[in-house]
Amino acid sequence: MTITLSIPGIAADDLPLEEQAYRRLRQALVEGVFAPGEKLSIRRVAEALGTSPMPARTALRRLATEQALDALPSGTVLVPRLTRAAFQEVSAIRAELEPLAIRLAASRVDSGTLDALAAVVAEQDAARAAGRPELCLQKDREFLFGLYRQAGAPMLLGMIEALWLRRGPLFWEARWIVMGSPPEAAHRHGPILAALRRGAGEEAARELKAEIERMTAFLSGALQFEDEVPAMPRAMRARA
Amino acid sequence: MTITLSIPGIAADDLPLEEQAYRRLRQALVEGVFAPGEKLSIRRVAEALGTSPMPARTALRRLATEQALDALPSGTVLVPRLTRAAFQEVSAIRAELEPLAIRLAASRVDSGTLDALAAVVAEQDAARAAGRPELCLQKDREFLFGLYRQAGAPMLLGMIEALWLRRGPLFWEARWIVMGSPPEAAHRHGPILAALRRGAGEEAARELKAEIERMTAFLSGALQFEDEVPAMPRAMRARA
DNA sequence: GCCGAAAAAATGTGATCACAAAGCTCCACC
DNA sequence: GGTGGAGCTTTGTGATCACATTTTTTCGGC
């Protein structure tokens, strides 16, 4: 029962079903649609996606391979619980890789791109002032990845994306905390931009590293992790 | 036509065929069985493995996901050519992540493990003296990963393994160069061990970083990369 | 001899089926 | 009331088939 969802000529989604499944699952993971610890069975996901089990199976395997999902020895795959240790591990790796990306980008970025990034920072500040946390986080991501893309290092970019994916659900839950947090916990991208304009890549990298470590310390104190929650809520959301 | 290759009770390879295919392909990649740029079709690999196309397909996809293989837009997968830029990118990432692993391991290793690692270093020196490059590289890997495992950081370990996998074929080709190289190009693990015994994790990390950067600079000058070879040999090895 | 179009082969994708193992349910029995 | 096991359900795995697309080969024409 294959149902074409849109006119084949117009649609941009002529991608393989497996790719669509992968992206939708990935998006759902970032958005925190699934509860940590929830089992994702191939057939259930396939049904939710309206496809045969095959694309779902491949997509789930891909996500498990990049550790965005955990795999049981039986083969069953489930949404990982981000423990405190895992959060700190992800943060420690970020604190090494993202400054490296900044250093690489520093010698390649042009002033036009820096202007565009400055605009993103301004939009982020506006979003924060307007009390729109999800837009604020989106702009934050836009700024950083816009910069990382300039590094011209595709593998590094992929690894950083995987880290963000892993951290995704937790960070999404934490957005309200971030909004109501004291000023010292807010991202400060201005100094990074300033350093880059001066061509001081090393300094920009140090700024970012400090920012990540500051944010990690704050969240580490503000968040309650999966391994510290006595009872698991176990939400039953089958949508994908 | 499913042929059980060994007695089900005794064999340790009761793993899923997909897992076996994945490991064999991975091993083959590290050993440089495939020529860079060689296309690996699902059916050909499946035939070489003696299975149906399905496990081969999943295994190839997994390897492509972790960027151990390149994927064409058509879906065809091929052995990546390690360009100079890619080699330097991998090295730059290694120079950040592996020292981090050392730092994390520093506060957790016990002296017994350090003794065992010292033995590995001794074995490596012996292998070098005996002119056995493959054993020497094996011991090198054994030493470093033995240390990284102590970090208690599974994601980090997985990322480092992926980096080594990507670098694998090239490094394998380079083993003769490394053997005949001047002393300043040889790995020096002694100082790392010494620093760890003193509990100076930061110093050990700096040592390793310097070692990786030294090695990178040397290989960068000694090796001829895929993007710098005028004609591609295009070996036809179908074995898996 | 060389270029290009048509035919043929090969390839990736996805659906469906069969099967074995793991998990769960429910009821009998202690 | 608690426990254990039989039976059913669900799950992952792997094979096979059909189909559309891409790639290669081949052959005709310039």
Side-chain angles (χ1 to χ4, degrees):
Chain A
M1 178 171 50
T2 305
I3 301 173
T4 306
L5 296 175
S6 49
I7 299 97
I10 298 174
D13 56 354
D14 53 352
L15 292 152
L17 286 182
E18 171 231 309
E19 185 67 25
Q20 296 180 39
Y22 170 74
R23 296 190 185 187
R24 288 180 64 180
L25 284 173
R26 185 174 174 133
Q27 185 67 22
L29 278 173
V30 172
E31 290 180 357
V33 171
F34 306 115
E38 183 174 353
K39 281 193 284 193
L40 296 181
S41 91
I42 294 175
R43 287 175 174 84
R44 276 226 336 269
V45 171
E47 193 180 3
L49 258 45
T51 69
S52 85
M54 186 74 58
R57 178 169 153 185
T58 318
L60 288 175
R61 275 314 179 76
R62 263 176 85 176
L63 289 165
T65 298
E66 48 186 340
Q67 302 192 46
L69 290 175
D70 282 347
L72 262 47
S74 74
T76 307
V77 78
L78 45 80
V79 181
R81 313 163 187 268
L82 193 56
T83 63
R84 180 175 296 271
F87 171 71
Q88 285 173 345
E89 187 183 343
V90 169
S91 299
I93 300 173
R94 285 189 60 209
E96 299 295 332
L97 290 192
E98 298 187 27
L100 170 62
I102 294 273
R103 275 200 297 277
L104 293 176
S107 58
R108 304 170 107 255
V109 71
D110 58 291
S111 67
T113 306
L114 287 178
D115 290 343
L117 290 174
V120 174
V121 172
E123 288 165 13
Q124 185 186 10
D125 290 340
R128 196 195 319 272
R132 299 186 55 190
E134 65 287 344
L135 185 61
C136 183
L137 284 178
Q138 184 194 317
K139 291 298 172 184
D140 183 57
R141 183 178 174 131
E142 199 175 319
F143 171 80
L144 289 175
F145 278 87
L147 208 43
Y148 300 157
R149 244 186 303 278
Q150 299 296 313
M155 296 185 211
L156 180 58
L157 186 62
M159 293 173 82
I160 294 174
E161 277 177 349
L163 288 172
W164 280 62
L165 180 58
R166 230 160 291 172
R167 195 198 54 152
L170 176 128
F171 205 59
W172 182 253
E173 295 296 331
R175 65 195 187 282
W176 303 110
I177 297 175
V178 174
M179 283 302 291
S181 64
E184 69 266 21
H187 278 169
R188 281 180 283 190
H189 292 156
I192 296 176
L193 266 180
L196 286 175
R197 284 205 194 275
R198 275 181 282 120
E202 198 58 49
E203 191 184 328
R206 270 201 304 276
E207 283 284 350
L208 179 62
K209 179 159 184 166
E211 185 177 307
I212 292 174
E213 285 171 347
R214 190 158 31 83
M215 206 65 183
T216 301
F218 174 73
L219 285 176
S220 196
L223 290 177
Q224 194 173 30
F225 290 87
E226 288 294 329
D227 52 343
E228 293 156 353
V229 181
M232 187 173 60
R234 191 68 176 86
M236 286 297 287
R237 277 159 291 187
R239 268 195 41 251
Chain B
M1 176 174 47
T2 304
I3 301 174
T4 306
L5 296 175
S6 49
I7 299 96
I10 298 174
D13 56 354
D14 52 353
L15 291 151
L17 285 181
E18 171 231 308
E19 184 66 26
Q20 295 179 40
Y22 171 75
R23 296 191 184 185
R24 288 180 64 179
L25 284 173
R26 185 175 175 133
Q27 184 67 22
L29 278 172
V30 172
E31 290 178 359
V33 171
F34 305 116
E38 182 175 354
K39 282 193 283 194
L40 296 180
S41 90
I42 293 175
R43 286 174 173 84
R44 275 226 338 271
V45 170
E47 193 179 4
L49 258 44
T51 70
S52 88
M54 186 72 60
R57 179 169 153 186
T58 317
L60 287 176
R61 275 310 177 76
R62 266 176 83 177
L63 288 164
T65 298
E66 48 186 339
Q67 302 192 46
L69 290 174
D70 282 347
L72 262 49
S74 74
T76 307
V77 76
L78 45 80
V79 181
R81 311 165 189 269
L82 193 56
T83 64
R84 182 175 294 273
F87 170 71
Q88 285 172 344
E89 187 183 343
V90 169
S91 300
I93 301 173
R94 284 190 60 209
E96 299 294 332
L97 290 191
E98 298 186 26
L100 170 61
I102 294 273
R103 274 200 298 277
L104 292 177
S107 57
R108 303 170 109 257
V109 285
D110 55 293
S111 65
T113 307
L114 288 177
D115 290 343
L117 290 173
V120 174
V121 172
E123 289 165 13
Q124 185 187 10
D125 290 340
R128 196 195 320 272
R132 299 187 56 191
E134 65 288 343
L135 185 61
C136 183
L137 284 178
Q138 183 194 316
K139 291 298 172 184
D140 183 57
R141 182 178 176 131
E142 199 175 320
F143 171 79
L144 290 176
F145 278 85
L147 209 43
Y148 300 156
R149 244 186 303 278
Q150 299 297 313
M155 297 185 210
L156 180 59
L157 186 63
M159 293 173 82
I160 294 174
E161 276 177 350
L163 288 171
W164 279 63
L165 181 58
R166 230 160 290 172
R167 194 198 55 151
L170 176 128
F171 205 59
W172 181 253
E173 295 296 331
R175 64 195 187 282
W176 302 109
I177 298 176
V178 174
M179 281 304 289
S181 65
E184 68 267 20
H187 277 169
R188 280 180 283 188
H189 292 156
I192 295 176
L193 265 180
L196 286 176
R197 284 203 195 277
R198 275 181 283 120
E202 197 59 50
E203 191 183 329
R206 271 200 305 275
E207 283 284 350
L208 179 62
K209 179 159 185 166
E211 186 177 306
I212 292 175
E213 285 170 348
R214 189 157 33 83
M215 205 64 183
T216 301
F218 173 74
L219 285 176
S220 195
L223 290 178
Q224 194 174 31
F225 290 88
E226 288 294 328
D227 52 345
E228 293 157 351
V229 182
M232 188 174 58
R234 191 70 176 87
M236 285 297 286
R237 280 160 287 186
R239 266 195 42 249

